[in-house]
Amino acid sequence: MDEIAELRATPENPSFDLNSPEALDALEAGAPSASGIRVNSKSALTYSPWWRGINLISQSLSKLPLFVYKRNGEGKDRFPQHPAYSLLRYQPNEYQTALIFQQQLQGHALSKGNGYAYIEMDGDGNPLALLPMDPDTVTVVRVNGVVWYVIRTGVYESKLDTSQVLHIRGLGWDGLVGYNVLELARDTIGLGIGQTRYTAKTLSQGGRPGMILETPNTIPPADRQYLRDTWEKMHSGIDNAHRTAILDRGLKANAISFSNDDQQLIEQRKFQIIDVANFLGIPPHKLGGGERTSYASLEQENTAFLDDCLDFWLCNWEYECRSKLLTEKEKQSDTVVAEFMRNALMRADSTARGNYYRAALGGHPWATVDEVRGMENLNPLGGIAAELQPPANMGGQNNQPEDPAASNVKPKRDAMIGTVRKAVEDAAKRAAKRIGVHAIKAATTPRKFIASVEELIEANADAMTDIMEPALDLRHQLGGPEAVESIAEMRSMMKAQLIEAANVPAKRLAEVVQKWADDAPEYWANKLGEWDK
């Protein structure tokens, strides 16, 4: 291996044998796997489970905002003045966004075991840019107890100390570098690519591979070739499968065929997906394993993906950013920290978000209404919404407060109701405006309007839930009806109102629907903003 590494380091050397297996490795042909398929960084990505696994983890990580925070007593605030803040949150260099940069570096770490980025600094040691480096050009060495990063560019080499390189690494033997996962998984990936090619080749040769044409007569060599070419021309390929064959000269066609099930190709492909999932730490169903999974098991596997796979890499980034992008003073005082916003993982799951907010605001609340609104990208309401509220059930027996100091709970709760009412009204207006825009568009085709109403209400059901549920859940906590009931009523009544609006001459439909769309936001704000307390 040392000799190979030496050859790969200097392929321009005239003594380098371009016909040797080592030369193929150096020229990115890749080393052969046990199946005979050569596997390298690019060819591995043609195997869909490997592509999916690398992409899934990289994208899941890179879509989470990475912030620099400054500790404020027991809490912390975002610290946009820090030199690393914009690099990690928005743009690490002039040609990449933070999302693409993190996706690239994480992809390197997953495939090669190591992701490297050069830290460009100013004269005071503050980071100015993060520039990704090809992991194949970087070698980490320890000389006299000092770690160096050796960078090869053509025939030239340069070295950087550890403070100049952001290094995301996986499991490794010496703690300096992570194992090259692509090399460890070479046989698994090679077998998977080989099976894919075999299946494609089987299809390209027709539905009945291995055909034998048998006759008791002697056929001259020239006629044999003609017969073979004619048969393959007529019956090879998917388009020619199952065509009728007409035989003479006493010929008999005998097919020697084995189905994919007989050859266990399908089962083998499933096992290959599981192998790839094990290398990357991903539940097989996320790679398209196709196995039936119960809802409870699926939920547990998704949680396992977040806890056992993704969270390790999040911590990996956070520790490395602390080590390389903060000053020694900041590290010693522990006043600055880089962390991912993990609750952003719930953005696509309205039910999980609703439960999370319910827990935050109910019982013994640990978040304010405005903090919850901020998580939903809504503007703060101020006043009581910015205050942490005591539990609604603080009273003792017979609803009498146990402590005279708790006598202000009722006024605070009344103020809270007023604040939540505003949040509900705001959400109702936004939901009604959304439906109104689609209704106006549908009114341009009067003869299809009623059918379009059905479709637009159903098509926007999830969006309405996302808009309305957080505010209606808060209302439910304060004694209002269930959120799902209010949303269902809103959808049903909107549909009825729009269908009723269609009972006008076609030429007036657009005018009537426009008026409904203008009035609907205020109507629904008033209707949902009041409830029995």
Side-chain angles (χ1 to χ4, degrees), residues 86 130 138 271 320 490 507:
S86 62
L130 301 174
V138 182
F271 287 135
E320 185 67 7
M490 184 177 184
K507 63 181 180 181

Side-chain angles (χ1 to χ4, degrees), residues 426-442:
D426 176 64
K429 285 182 179 179
R430 290 192 293 124
K433 285 180 181 178
R434 181 184 181 94
I435 297 298
V437 169
H438 290 283
I440 291 171
K441 184 178 179 180

Side-chain angles (χ1 to χ4, degrees), residues 432-433 435-437 439-440 512-521:
K433 285 180 181 178
I435 297 298
V437 169
I440 291 171
V512 172
V513 172
Q514 179 69 59
K515 185 177 186 309
W516 180 90
D518 292 339
D519 296 341

